[in-house]
Amino acid sequence: MSNYVLDDLDRDIVRELEQDGRKALREIGRNLDTSEATVRARVKRLQDLNILRIVAFADPESLGRTQLGIVFLEVEPSRHQEVVEAVSALPEVTYVSTVLGRADICVEILSTDNTALWTILNEKIGRLPGVKHMETTSVLKVHKLRYVTPPGALGSSGASVQGAG
């Protein structure tokens, strides 16, 4: 991890990209009254520090034959990181997080259908050493998906942000 201090311009650039990740850097520069070169350099630095990632998300429902499942895993504490790494490596897994509550890990899986989801759960995840219990929910329809920084999360001037690196 490295500490990087976000300034007002960094925060404004992130907010612009949260609205539209494909927005032209020239347009962002105009909106923020700075040059395209400055925006480009700031975006590159934020990406290099793993503070900012620009990704595309395809709506599973629009893809046709897909099944989105959410799986909550209860795992042995001594094997938590091992399970996180194993499920993260599965190509069908789109999201992994550590959670509080009855479960320890939340996993999102995108499969072709319920049969494929069943296979992933029983032949891949369920057999992982350390997995004690799985609870699965099938997602019928995604109504909203938006990754934005909550107000105040980017901090104020001088606030330090942890980035992997």
Side-chain angles (χ1 to χ4, degrees):
M1 296 291 239
S2 63
N3 283 329
Y4 175 74
V5 178
L6 291 179
D7 64 15
D8 289 337
L9 182 56
D10 290 326
R11 286 189 290 280
D12 290 342
I13 290 169
V14 169
R15 286 186 190 101
E16 288 274 331
L17 289 169
E18 285 176 338
Q19 296 301 314
D20 179 0
R22 293 178 39 145
K23 187 179 287 186
L25 300 180
R26 178 180 304 136
E27 181 181 349
I28 294 172
R30 274 195 309 263
N31 292 347
L32 302 179
D33 197 29
T34 192
S35 72
E36 178 182 356
T38 298
V39 173
R40 178 175 287 106
R42 296 290 187 109
V43 167
K44 182 175 180 348
R45 183 176 336 142
L46 293 170
Q47 288 175 314
D48 290 347
L49 291 168
N50 289 323
I51 293 170
L52 175 67
R53 271 184 268 163
I54 300 170
V55 299
F57 176 81
D59 181 2
E61 188 176 359
S62 300
L63 296 176
R65 194 171 152 87
T66 60
Q67 176 58 52
L68 185 60
I70 305 293
V71 183
F72 295 99
L73 303 176
E74 183 182 342
V75 300
E76 296 171 14
S78 63
R79 298 217 158 170
H80 184 273
Q81 187 59 34
E82 181 183 333
V83 172
V84 165
E85 290 171 8
V87 295
S88 294
L90 295 173
E92 302 89 352
V93 170
T94 59
Y95 174 85
V96 178
S97 63
T98 296
V99 295
L100 294 174
R102 291 187 309 177
D104 302 303
I105 301 170
C106 176
V107 180
E108 183 181 83
I109 299 170
L110 187 59
S111 62
T112 54
D113 54 31
N114 281 330
T115 301
L117 179 60
W118 176 260
T119 301
I120 296 162
L121 293 172
N122 289 290
E123 294 181 12
K124 295 181 180 182
I125 296 176
R127 292 184 181 179
L128 291 173
V131 173
K132 298 186 329 188
H133 177 75
M134 292 188 299
E135 183 177 332
T136 305
T137 297
S138 187
V139 177
L140 300 177
K141 182 170 182 62
V142 175
H143 297 282
K144 180 177 182 179
L145 176 64
R146 187 166 182 240
Y147 292 101
V148 295
T149 308
L154 290 176
S156 57
S157 294
S160 175
V161 175
Q162 292 289 318

